[in-house]
Amino acid sequence: MLKSARKQGKPQKDPEGRMPLAEHLRELRNRLMKSVLAVLAVTIVGLVYYKQIADFLTEPLRDSVGCTEGFGRAAEDGEACAEITLNGLIAPFTVMLKVGLTTGVVLTCPVWLYQLWAFLAPGLHSHEKKYARSFVAAGVPLFLAGAYLAYIVLPTMASTLIEFTPEGTGNLVPLDDFLDIITRMVIVFGLAFELPLVLVMLNLGGVVTGRKLLGWWRGMVVSIAVFAAVATPSGEPLTMGALAAPIVLLYFLAVGICLLNDRRRKRKDPYAGLSDDEAAPLDHAPETVGAVESVEAPAALPDGTAADGGPTRRNGYDDAT
């Protein structure tokens, strides 16, 4: 009885996903807690294997600018190279935390992307939830692809920066500073690759049309180029292009998907593209009138009354007149 009473007293969910502000905040807190716990769990694993992970992250730098003959000999020969160092007793512990946290954020992207979708899903219609699940499935490989692209361009970026070292001198690269650059690039590249998913989601939600997105292409290309220049620490054209070019291609791919969706929506509903305060167009073309049906008047009875009991009308007047 207690169990059934508890079920009866449980508030029913609104079919349209509406809830008070306090419920929204409670839902956001729960989603954030689940994401944070997942990140912390993977971070702990990253702390255990942080040496192997740090070796994997610094391998591009060692291969591109490492001093094969020793730092002093390379500086005398004028070779631009670098040595990875740690400064201070606390530096190794700081590096361990950064490596573990970066591992947790990257590897748990399926979890926090799903929690983001679960927070937005109650406000979506049933047909939009189907597309939102596809966004989560596509968002994970896109984020990982952006992170891997950042890892690929690291050697080019590192060698370009090291080339600015004056001749006859060497360069000591603190490992914690280098990991800051790696973390920044991995997260920025991964999030930048989510841009097409955001645009397609806005289009499916009816916020923006594909034609409008196509009209923004000049401003979007310039904005992406500026973003790539700010996001890449080296400012070198090759690194900027490695980030900007894939995002531009993904942007135009998203515009194509939005245009196809608008065409499908227009075939299904001709007035789907109208805003809430815009009237539907009226069709003023005259329509053909069909054949006129003749209506017989009720026959008059012999006593001068009509068949329905009323007086007989002749030339529009009653017999009495």
Side-chain angles (χ1 to χ4, degrees), residues 160-280:
T160 302
L161 292 176
I162 296 300
E163 286 179 359
F164 291 102
T165 304
E167 186 176 353
T169 60
N171 197 323
L172 299 177
V173 179
L175 181 57
D176 50 351
D177 292 345
F178 180 66
L179 289 176
D180 287 340
I181 296 176
I182 294 178
T183 304
R184 175 183 173 184
M185 291 186 63
V186 164
I187 295 179
V188 168
F189 275 48
L191 292 178
F193 272 51
E194 303 293 331
L195 173 64
L197 291 180
V198 176
L199 296 179
V200 174
M201 179 179 288
L202 292 177
N203 176 259
L204 291 176
V207 179
V208 65
T209 62
R211 186 176 296 273
K212 185 175 294 185
L213 288 175
L214 185 60
W216 293 347
W217 74 269
R218 295 179 181 86
M220 289 297 297
V221 170
V222 174
S223 301
I224 291 172
V226 173
F227 170 77
V230 175
T232 53
S234 64
E236 189 260 332
L238 183 60
T239 306
M240 292 170 52
L243 174 60
I247 300 178
V248 172
L249 292 177
L250 290 173
Y251 165 74
F252 283 107
L253 178 62
V255 171
I257 295 175
C258 294
L259 290 174
L260 292 177
N261 179 63
D262 291 342
R263 184 179 301 178
R264 178 193 61 83
R265 185 181 298 169
K266 190 173 182 179
R267 286 198 305 265
K268 196 173 183 180
D269 183 7
Y271 307 131
L274 298 178
S275 59
D276 296 337
D277 56 351
E278 186 177 359

Side-chain angles (χ1 to χ4, degrees), residues 297-317:
L301 298 178
D303 57 356
T305 59
D308 57 357
T312 304
R313 301 177 62 87
R314 296 179 180 177
N315 299 328
Y317 299 96

Side-chain angles (χ1 to χ4, degrees), residues 15-149:
E16 297 184 2
R18 292 178 300 218
M19 61 178 67
L21 178 60
E23 292 293 332
H24 276 293
L25 296 177
R26 188 176 298 109
E27 179 76 8
L28 179 61
R29 181 196 61 186
N30 294 336
R31 300 298 176 186
L32 287 176
M33 286 297 299
K34 293 178 181 178
S35 301
V36 170
L37 290 176
V39 172
L40 288 178
V42 181
T43 299
I44 294 174
V45 178
L47 294 177
V48 176
Y49 299 99
Y50 93 95
K51 290 185 178 180
Q52 293 84 345
I53 299 174
D55 183 72
F56 172 77
L57 294 176
T58 56
E59 184 178 358
L61 179 62
R62 297 196 313 268
D63 294 342
S64 60
V65 297
C67 298
T68 57
E69 298 184 2
F71 178 77
R73 177 66 180 276
E76 292 176 0
D77 297 340
E79 179 186 352
C81 64
E83 288 188 355
I84 303 176
T85 62
L86 284 174
N87 186 18
L89 295 175
I90 307 179
F93 180 75
T94 305
V95 168
M96 181 179 66
L97 292 179
K98 290 181 179 180
V99 170
L101 186 59
T102 303
T103 305
V105 172
V106 173
L107 295 185
T108 58
C109 61
V111 177
W112 49 263
L113 280 175
Y114 173 78
Q115 295 301 326
L116 176 62
W117 165 79
F119 178 71
L120 299 176
L124 301 176
H125 298 289
S126 57
H127 66 282
E128 294 172 343
K129 293 180 181 179
K130 176 182 65 175
Y131 294 114
R133 295 186 184 96
S134 302
F135 294 153
V136 177
V140 173
L142 280 176
F143 183 87
L144 295 178
Y148 183 69
L149 178 62

